Structure formats: structure tokens, C-alpha cells
Amino acid sequence: MKSLAENQSEALAEIGAIARQVGWGAIDILRSYYRGDSNEGDLEIKDKKDGPVTAADLAANRHILKNLQTALSHEDFGYLSEETYQGESVAKDWVWIIDPLDGTRDFINKTGEYALHIALTYKKRPMLAIVGIPEAEKLYFAIKGQGTFVETRDGTKEPRRVSTRNQIEDLAMIASRSHRDLRLNTMLERMPFKERHYMGSVGGKISTILEQKCDVYISLSGKTAPKDWDFAAPELVLTEAGGKFTSFEGNDLTYNNADVSQWGGLMASNGHCHQELYTLATNLLAEIDREST
């Protein structure tokens, strides 16, 4: 197997194949818990500061870490997972950022809107990513500079590209089903989208853009903020499909910083009027804040 030091492109392709296999195994674990078929027992739901955690989160996390660390022991990787995060960044150039179950509340509530995120970052930017949608039995994957593909259970792979819709009035927006406050709701209502949709899981929302069902995802932090593991994998599968994923200031996101929270406004889109969208969002927020004072 090629090492990243020898040939980065070939090594990433080989690592990606391993990560997809690991991802499918994690999908099987999540689906077994979702259906109550797991041999490990019930969900054992516990409350954490940032939301609930279940036995399914932990089982999928153990599977991902064990198999990546075993298969890739020759590489000097760090690991940053939602379920094992200890409040510090990882002192490595290459770091895996993992959310074994994105959308735990939706998983518990049986909406089907949950996902699996696995990303490999280099110096704080994603280089390889997997977003699994267990209930659709689809796995989206991307390597920097090599495009985005969707793989189905039988191993079939197809490329994915974002839509070509390029007027805000023609775009379909998607936002969080539950993580929305009055400020965000007001902003979304004032943006002239053709359609508005809401669902759980960032990975699930980004998959609707990859399938050309939606065009824009907007996130705005309030008292809390999304974390690195919510965005690292979805960002790359979107941008490699032709989309854009930035802050409202137009800046790239960085990962594995001292604070894993992604504060402020975030805009993910098909890219065709991306700057216009985040400029509009910024102006609307300023207007809303003036009205509230």
C-alpha cells in the first residue's frame, strides 16, 4: 500500500477504499440498532451537553476507530471523534474527523434523517470524505480534486454534480428541522427562495443538494454552534460536486482548532450565486438585529 509520503494521490485512493468499507460496516451497525435488531441490546439513551448519545453512536464509533487504526497503522494519523473528544485539538497534520451518528435525535425519533460522517483532513482542511445515508443505503465519497461519487450497496458508483439553477428565486433551500431559533427563522422567511425544506442531519441535507433536490443549506449558530464533525465530511462531498461551502464572510472553514465549534453563519450551495446568497443573508441579519433593539 502506498504511503501518503510516497504518493499522496494513490495513497488517498487506497485509504478511501478502506474508509468506504469501514463506512458500510458502520452503516450496518446503525441500521441494526435503528430496527432493534442489534445483539448488543437497546439504545441506552443518555443526555450530553450537546444532545443525546446512544449505544448506536458508541458502537459505530468503536467500529470506525478500530478498523481505521488497524488498517492504517502505518500512517501517522490523529483521530477527532464526537464520541471521544476531550476538549483539545489533535497535534497531527493528518487528522480523521468522525461523527458516527449525525442526527442522533432523529435516529431516536425514527425520522430516518440520520447520517454517518468520516473525513480525513490535512492541516485543517478536508482531503477525503464519506457521508453515509443509512436509510437510503447510499454512501457519498470524495477525494480532493477527484470529484464526488455515490456508492450503493451492490458496489455501483456514479458521479454526482450539483444543480445548474442560478437565480435565488429558483432555488430550493434546506435547513435544520430542529436547530433553528427566531433569528434564523426570520432570515429564512425573508430570503426569496422558491421552496423551503427542513430535515435532520447535516449530511442528509447536503445529500439533497448532491441529488439536485435542493440548492442551499444555511446554518446560523445561536447559544450553541455546530461542531467540526458536523461539517468536515459534508463540506468536501459538496465542493467536489461543484458546490461551495463557506462562512457568511466567504471564508473557508478550518477544522481541528482549539475550539471545535463553528460559530457564526454558514452557507452551503450549488455555487452559482453563492456570494450573492451570503451577502443577502448578512444584510438581512443586520436588518433583523436593528429591528430587535
Side-chain angles (χ1 to χ4, degrees):
M1 182 176 181
K2 294 287 186 182
S3 73
L4 287 163
E6 292 173 334
N7 188 314
Q8 187 175 111
S9 180
E10 287 188 24
L12 284 173
E14 292 177 348
I15 292 168
I18 292 168
R20 293 202 307 277
Q21 184 177 20
V22 171
W24 280 115
I27 283 173
D28 289 339
I29 291 170
L30 294 174
R31 284 171 58 84
S32 70
Y33 274 98
Y34 191 75
R35 283 157 176 71
D37 297 334
S38 174
N39 295 325
E40 302 299 323
D42 62 26
L43 279 181
E44 302 175 17
I45 302 168
K46 298 178 182 178
D47 287 325
K48 296 194 309 180
K49 177 182 177 182
D50 295 316
V53 64
T54 72
D57 299 68
L58 300 176
N61 191 66
R62 286 193 298 269
H63 168 85
I64 294 166
L65 290 177
K66 176 184 176 182
N67 285 278
L68 287 181
Q69 289 170 345
T70 299
L72 303 171
S73 60
H74 61 287
E75 295 285 0
D76 188 24
F77 288 140
Y79 294 85
L80 176 62
S81 167
E82 178 179 15
E83 309 310 333
T84 57
Y85 177 61
Q86 298 295 316
E88 297 179 353
S89 60
V90 180
K92 302 281 187 181
D93 282 343
W94 290 92
V95 178
W96 289 94
I97 299 181
I98 300 161
D99 190 345
L101 175 47
D102 179 54
T104 301
R105 205 174 298 279
D106 285 273
F107 184 89
I108 295 167
N109 293 336
K110 294 290 194 291
T111 69
E113 296 170 1
Y114 66 96
L116 162 78
H117 299 172
I118 304 174
L120 178 59
T121 61
Y122 177 65
K123 293 185 176 179
K124 303 186 184 298
R125 294 289 296 144
M127 297 295 290
L128 181 155
I130 287 173
V131 172
I133 310 296
E135 295 308 304
E137 293 195 273
K138 289 183 176 181
L139 190 150
Y140 298 89
F141 66 95
I143 294 173
K144 183 71 174 178
Q146 298 184 30
T148 293
F149 298 83
V150 61
E151 182 176 63
T152 49
R153 178 69 73 172
D154 62 3
T156 301
K157 303 178 186 67
E158 296 179 351
R160 281 294 178 267
R161 297 292 295 178
V162 295
S163 76
T164 58
R165 291 181 283 270
N166 59 11
Q167 300 293 322
I168 294 179
E169 294 79 7
D170 295 330
L171 303 182
M173 178 278 300
I174 189 157
S176 174
R177 182 188 298 281
S178 56
H179 297 287
R180 302 196 318 273
D181 58 16
L182 178 61
R183 191 166 176 253
L184 175 57
N185 279 336
T186 303
M187 183 191 72
L188 294 177
E189 289 169 2
R190 295 184 185 182
M191 299 185 82
F193 294 118
K194 182 178 182 179
E195 299 175 12
R196 290 171 173 79
H197 303 274
Y198 303 93
M199 71 182 300
S201 167
V202 177
K205 289 189 276 287
I206 295 302
S207 76
T208 68
I209 302 178
L210 298 178
E211 296 295 341
Q212 300 187 10
K213 296 175 182 177
C214 293
D215 309 287
V216 182
Y217 161 55
I218 301 174
S219 171
L220 182 65
S221 63
K223 293 181 179 179
T224 61
K227 305 297 189 291
D228 283 3
W229 41 79
D230 295 313
F231 290 157
E235 177 191 340
L236 190 65
V237 296
L238 176 63
T239 56
E240 283 297 310
K244 292 187 179 179
F245 202 117
T246 70
S247 70
F248 279 7
E249 294 75 33
N251 299 321
D252 288 336
L253 279 65
T254 59
Y255 303 97
N256 189 33
N257 298 303
D259 183 1
V260 296
S261 296
Q262 295 284 347
W263 295 101
L266 177 139
M267 183 72 63
S269 79
N270 65 3
H272 298 296
C273 42
H274 190 81
Q275 183 173 344
E276 184 182 354
L277 282 165
Y278 68 65
T279 299
L280 174 60
T282 300
N283 291 339
L284 285 172
L285 285 177
E287 178 182 285
I288 292 164
D289 291 342
R290 285 195 300 272
E291 293 171 357
S292 66
T293 59

